[in-house]
Amino acid sequence: MRVEEVSASWNRLLETESRDSKRHQLRRGSAEFAPQDKDMEEMEYFVQREVLDELRLDEVAQKGTWSIKPTLGERVKESLRCSVPRLKQTLLSWIPVLGWLPHYSFRENAIGDLISGCSVGIMHLPQGMAYALLASLRPVFGLYTSLYPVLVYFIFGTSRHISIGTFAVISIMIGSVTERLAPDSNFIVNGTNGTEIVNLDERDAHRVQIACALTFLAGIFQILLGVVRFGFVVTYLSEPLVRGYTTGSACHVCVSQLKYLFGVSPSRYAGPLSLIYTLVDLCRLLPQTKVPELVVSLVALSVLIVVKEVNACYAKKLPMPVPIELIVIIAATIITHFCGLSDKYYIDVVGEIPSGLKAPRAPDATLFSEVLGDAFAVAIVGYAINISLGKTFALKHGYKVDSNQELVALGLSNTVGGFFQCYSVTSSLSRSLVQESTGGKTQVAGVISSIIVLITVLKIGSLFEDLPKAVLSTIVFVNLKGMFKQFLDVPMLWKTNKVDLLVWLVTFISTILLNLDLGLAVSIGFSMLTVIFRTQLPHYSILGNVPGTDLYLDTETYKEAKEIPGIKIFRSSSTIYYTNAEMYLEVLQEKSGIEIGKLLTAKKKQLAKQKRQQEKEKKKAKKEERKQKKAIKHSSNGTFALKETEMNKRKVPEERNGQSQGNGVVLSVTETTANGFSKGQVNWAYQPDTTMSDSDSDTGCHGDDSITQVSHHSDEDKGRACRSDTHSIILDISTTSFVDTVSVKTLKSIFKDFGQVDLEIYLAGCQACVVEQLETAGFFSDSIPKSRLFVTVHDAVLHILKKLGQKDFVLDVSCNTQM
């Protein structure tokens, strides 16, 4: 395409409707909004400035070479500096209670915290005993877990509304470890009459040791992560992953409690598919169901569901929720004790609950190696649940939760709890909602709830020895309602984000089939893969200009976006780095229609052919010269020989020209007569695939004589030869946030390879941090100057058109933009 045609096409793209109102031209670099009436829907702005490349931008914006960040030495010196204000700040950051407790307002917070603490304490009692069964421990250890960690979190925690203590998901994770390392088969002893029985006391004592060792180790992991400021690790657990995992865990909890509802004793399974095996075994044992326990379970379940629905319906009218769980526990204990249900119908009850507190004991360090992986999984899942709830309430009530301090607080709660025979804790959604909805303002509510639990453990715990385990199981079932409602995420995610739906489903299925530990590992790995694939397979597009604006949009998405003749603008939707750099280059060639490999091969073949032809002509010229000398030497007529020599000399160029035409080789490129656009250079991007045919034809791509080009191709190749008119490519890298060595090499190869076929490459929209990384990597050089890097795509386009205009025409491009 001729340059005049390029000019005409671009001018047509930039034409806009003329306006009757007078436009005020502003000074260079200034901008303002045009006046408008209230009824006007359009708004205009006018900008007039020079085209800015990276070098000019540094001058205009006065880029600084100084650094506001302190050096490593200064930071070390500052961290080692000791002063009273610094000591106070450190203490307040590590022990937050010292910051807010001295300023505690009794008038504003005391009543709310008292009511909230009593409500949560009443919930702690049944939930603590019920969730202890999930951990395969005796109920009293659930009460211990509801006491000590809550007091530790009161001192070190930063959230004001979450309720620390037992939680179903963490409890079932602990239970899977205790049952795996201390199965019933390891504690079988010979009973009377040659029967084999399980030594429950020895088994339960060993399981407590396992749970304490795992809890202590999980706390150490959390403290270490918090000290090294690694709180961001939870960001790799996306919300769909956490919700899918907790839903799968709820299914594990549900299946583990079915044995108490039906009064059967299925075999214990561990490892992958253990849930399926347990469910099949339960179905096999259904004919052996104990009807009295099933009746107790159904009655308790019905009462709990009805009253909890009433609490939900009248939540705004009731001063506090009806403590139906505590009421059911008290009623079931009284009925079982005075009716003798455990003796008459062999209903399984809680059993002995020792009164008083036990002395602290160090965890068994010999068990650490066996629970190392499980401890890390518990630490991560517990923190993820805790910080998600903490940030939710903090956002609602307008305060900040420190993610790293939350790690330390939760870790200290678990570490200290490991010495007092507690198992791992996290925040509970149901208790946290009650603590917040009943007026709780600070963690003083947690201290009050701990006092209630302490009174229960010291004085009235033994009164619950006749409590049926089936009632505790129904409490667990009812509290799983919120987790099972997360199944509604599936239709919602189907409509909004199918990748997140896939993460949810894979997490749920892997948790169900592979158990809790392997399921968590698989789900995290799959979630990370989705992120990698989305950055490795971004959306690539060719941009076009919206006429009358400086907007450049995807030509496949916007009809009005038109490509600029001779200029290809290419953009990727993600950062260019080692996983997608190769694909970036491939798609660039595909989208631009320029195959560098074939063009370079064609150029090499053409140059080699020209070289062979020149050598052949040199040999022929030497041969002719020798003939002429021989003729002069043996000729007696010197004049005739001279004339003949001159005639031969004139014939050589003619034969040479005819020879080149016959072989399809470009020997001469004439200068452009009109404007000198091409002076003895061939743009190799215009060349077709070099598939040679047997036919000989003399064709040119242009009707004028600006370039003498003789081809040796078929008719199809002729069309391809005339097809390409690209002379410049702009790479929009505004979406790139960093570059690595692979991406730098890829960009260098693009400049080099496309430059070898006479294509100009430009970069646009590069962020300042990326420019610094390119400079550090040695990207810029004499062949790739900074003048090839422009602030915006529009700047690059105007530069290219101006560059063409210097040789061919002066193009007046309006910078006025209509919005």
Side-chain angles (χ1 to χ4, degrees), residues 61 71 98 162 197 237 253 256 293 378 432 481 518 641 687 702 801:
T71 62
L98 298 178
I162 62 174
I197 61 174
L237 302 179
V253 172
S256 69
E293 289 203 14
V378 169
S432 299
K481 175 187 174 183
L518 289 177
Q687 304 305 311
H702 304 287
L801 295 175

Side-chain angles (χ1 to χ4, degrees), residues 373-393:
D374 301 289
F376 187 77
V378 169
I380 295 300
V381 174
Y383 173 65
I385 296 171
N386 188 76
I387 195 64
S388 61
L389 278 178
K391 288 188 174 181
T392 300
F393 287 113

Side-chain angles (χ1 to χ4, degrees), residues 295-533:
V295 171
V296 171
S297 301
L298 293 177
V299 171
L301 194 62
S302 301
V303 173
L304 287 169
I305 291 176
V306 171
V307 177
K308 277 188 170 289
E309 289 299 319
V310 171
N311 283 339
C313 292
Y314 297 96
K316 296 182 178 179
K317 297 181 179 180
L318 295 173
M320 62 176 290
V322 177
I324 186 59
E325 294 171 335
L326 184 62
I327 294 173
V328 167
I329 284 179
I330 295 173
T333 303
I334 293 173
I335 294 173
T336 303
H337 177 75
F338 288 103
C339 295
L341 298 182
S342 59
D343 296 330
K344 292 182 181 180
Y345 301 104
Y346 303 102
I347 291 179
D348 195 10
V349 295
V350 169
E352 181 184 0
I353 298 179
S355 298
L357 301 175
K358 293 186 177 182
R361 186 175 61 180
D364 189 356
T366 60
L367 297 172
F368 288 168
S369 60
E370 300 181 61
V371 299
L372 188 66
D374 301 289
F376 187 77
V378 169
I380 295 300
V381 174
Y383 173 65
I385 296 171
N386 188 76
I387 195 64
S388 61
L389 278 178
K391 288 188 174 181
T392 300
F393 287 113
L395 183 64
K396 180 178 180 181
H397 293 276
Y399 63 92
K400 185 178 180 181
V401 171
D402 187 343
S403 58
N404 293 302
Q405 182 61 27
E406 284 296 298
L407 260 177
V408 174
L410 197 61
L412 287 172
S413 299
N414 285 324
T415 303
V416 174
F419 286 95
F420 290 92
Q421 299 184 352
C422 305
Y423 64 88
S424 188
V425 296
T426 188
S427 55
S428 167
L429 176 61
S430 59
R431 292 196 307 270
S432 299
L433 288 175
V434 169
Q435 181 168 324
E436 186 255 351
S437 61
T438 53
K441 300 292 180 61
T442 66
Q443 280 299 327
V444 171
V447 175
I448 296 173
S449 68
S450 297
I451 294 174
I452 294 177
V453 174
L454 178 62
I455 295 173
T456 304
V457 171
L458 293 177
K459 298 297 181 181
I460 62 177
S462 58
L463 299 179
F464 294 103
E465 291 180 355
D466 290 328
L467 172 65
K469 290 183 178 179
V471 174
L472 293 178
S473 296
T474 58
I475 293 174
V476 174
F477 270 108
V478 172
N479 284 306
L480 292 177
K481 175 187 174 183
M483 294 188 188
F484 284 126
K485 287 178 69 175
Q486 293 177 158
F487 278 111
L488 298 176
D489 291 351
V490 174
M492 185 270 292
L493 291 175
W494 173 261
K495 297 178 181 179
T496 57
N497 194 315
K498 291 182 174 57
V499 176
D500 285 344
L501 173 63
L502 192 60
V503 171
W504 196 101
L505 292 176
V506 169
T507 302
F508 175 77
I509 294 172
S510 61
T511 304
I512 292 291
L513 299 180
L514 302 178
N515 221 335
L516 297 174
D517 47 359
L518 289 177
L520 179 62
V522 170
S523 58
I524 292 176
F526 182 80
S527 179
M528 296 297 293
L529 284 177
T530 60
V531 176
I532 293 173
F533 285 143

